Amino acid sequence: MPVFIAGAEPAVPHLTCFVSIPDPSLIEVMASSALDSLVLDMQHGMFDEASVLAGIGAAALHGKPVLVRLPVQAGGLASRMADFGAAGFICPMVNSAADAQALVDLVKYPPLGRRSWGPRRALALSGLTAPEYLSRANARIVLLAMIETKEALDELDSILATPGVDGVFVGPSDLAVSLSAGAQLTHPDVDAALPRTVAAAHRHGKRAGIFAASTSAAREALRQGFDIVSVTQDGMLLSGAIANALEAVGHTERT
Ligand code: 3PY
Ligand code: MG
């Protein structure tokens, strides 16, 4: 069952959700929803290589592609996760075209990059022959550079102009931390930067994504034209659902 999200045009807007709890059963539940993909979080979530391997399999049972959010400056993991069958990468703290090119080198085959051949499991999951995989992988495996700092905003065009980068993905919290020099987790300049980011991505014929920390933020991101929107994250969804359930049965906090 093919589980790539690029190449065959993905649904736009593409709705995804970050997963931090590395349990295949949880991934199966989430993948059986109407989400278009899942993001397994190796940066702030608890995923390691083995749980990404299991997670890709669990999502594939429901025909859902998995994106991996890499740890900072861990591009080396990307080609390994691509070989495991990851459909794409959300890469934190990309601040320059040089940072972007370093990731392209690891995720894309020549001539765009320098990915090493050996897509053992990815090939089986793709349903392609080896030559077909080689000729399509660069277009099908999505590389998204996270825009999370003032430097990245200043370099938006050069990051987007890097061949092999398929789009950008805004991390609103880190962007606020950067723009406020560590003083705040929200900042008005983040909101101002969002339409500019969407316009820049589309000008380059590429995708704009964003992490939305609430359903209202996700709705607003879709209204602004973001192509890839994460509808919060597993932990937030679970705590929200528990709070709603307790409220529905009239439970008040014990003191
Ligand atoms: C951010 O908001 O900085 C993120 O990385 C969201 O996951
Ligand atoms: Mg971040």
Side-chain angles (χ1 to χ4, degrees):
M1 179 183 315
V3 291
F4 286 136
I5 68 166
E9 274 301 302
V12 172
H14 181 98
L15 290 180
T16 191
C17 185
F18 276 62
V19 191
S20 60
I21 303 166
D23 185 285
S25 315
L26 173 67
I27 291 170
E28 283 183 36
V29 171
M30 294 179 75
S32 67
S33 70
L35 286 166
D36 296 307
S37 68
L38 297 176
V39 180
L40 307 190
D41 191 357
M42 295 186 85
Q43 184 191 15
H44 298 303
M46 280 74 84
F47 279 88
D48 59 11
E49 292 175 51
S51 49
V52 169
L53 182 73
I56 290 169
L61 285 176
H62 295 278
K64 291 290 163 69
V66 157
L67 304 173
V68 175
R69 182 179 38 193
L70 297 170
V72 177
Q73 292 187 342
L77 273 177
S79 57
R80 189 163 160 71
M81 300 296 112
D83 289 345
F84 286 5
F89 298 96
I90 296 180
C91 308
M93 298 289 181
V94 176
N95 291 328
S96 64
D99 287 353
Q101 183 60 54
L103 289 159
V104 171
D105 282 347
L106 290 153
V107 169
K108 307 278 172 147
Y109 291 118
L112 290 175
R114 294 186 287 182
R115 180 179 165 195
S116 164
W117 176 255
R120 305 259 186 278
R121 184 167 184 250
L123 187 56
L125 287 174
S126 73
L128 301 173
T129 64
E132 283 170 345
Y133 182 94
L134 179 60
S135 67
R136 295 185 203 176
N138 279 0
R140 287 185 165 213
I141 295 182
V142 175
L143 179 57
L144 300 172
M146 286 195 78
I147 302 299
E148 316 199 81
T149 61
K150 182 175 179 324
E151 297 91 302
L153 268 187
D154 292 344
E155 291 301 320
L156 192 55
D157 270 306
S158 67
I159 292 169
L160 279 162
T162 307
V165 168
D166 299 299
V168 287
F169 195 96
V170 178
S173 299
D174 271 314
L175 192 50
V177 169
S178 171
L179 290 170
S180 67
Q184 291 162 215
L185 279 165
T186 59
H187 194 281
D189 289 355
V190 172
D191 296 333
L194 300 185
R196 180 156 87 77
T197 306
V198 173
H202 292 174
R203 204 169 50 245
H204 286 267
K206 297 188 174 179
R207 308 247 183 237
I210 188 167
F211 177 84
S214 65
T215 47
S216 55
R219 232 190 348 258
E220 176 59 12
L222 292 169
R223 195 195 60 73
Q224 290 179 322
F226 277 94
D227 309 294
I228 304 168
V229 177
S230 83
V231 187
T232 85
Q233 177 255 30
D234 54 353
M236 291 175 180
L237 288 174
L238 272 172
S239 9
I242 291 168
N244 286 345
L246 291 180
E247 193 185 328
V249 298
H251 179 80
T252 50
E253 249 176 61
R254 294 195 177 89
T255 51

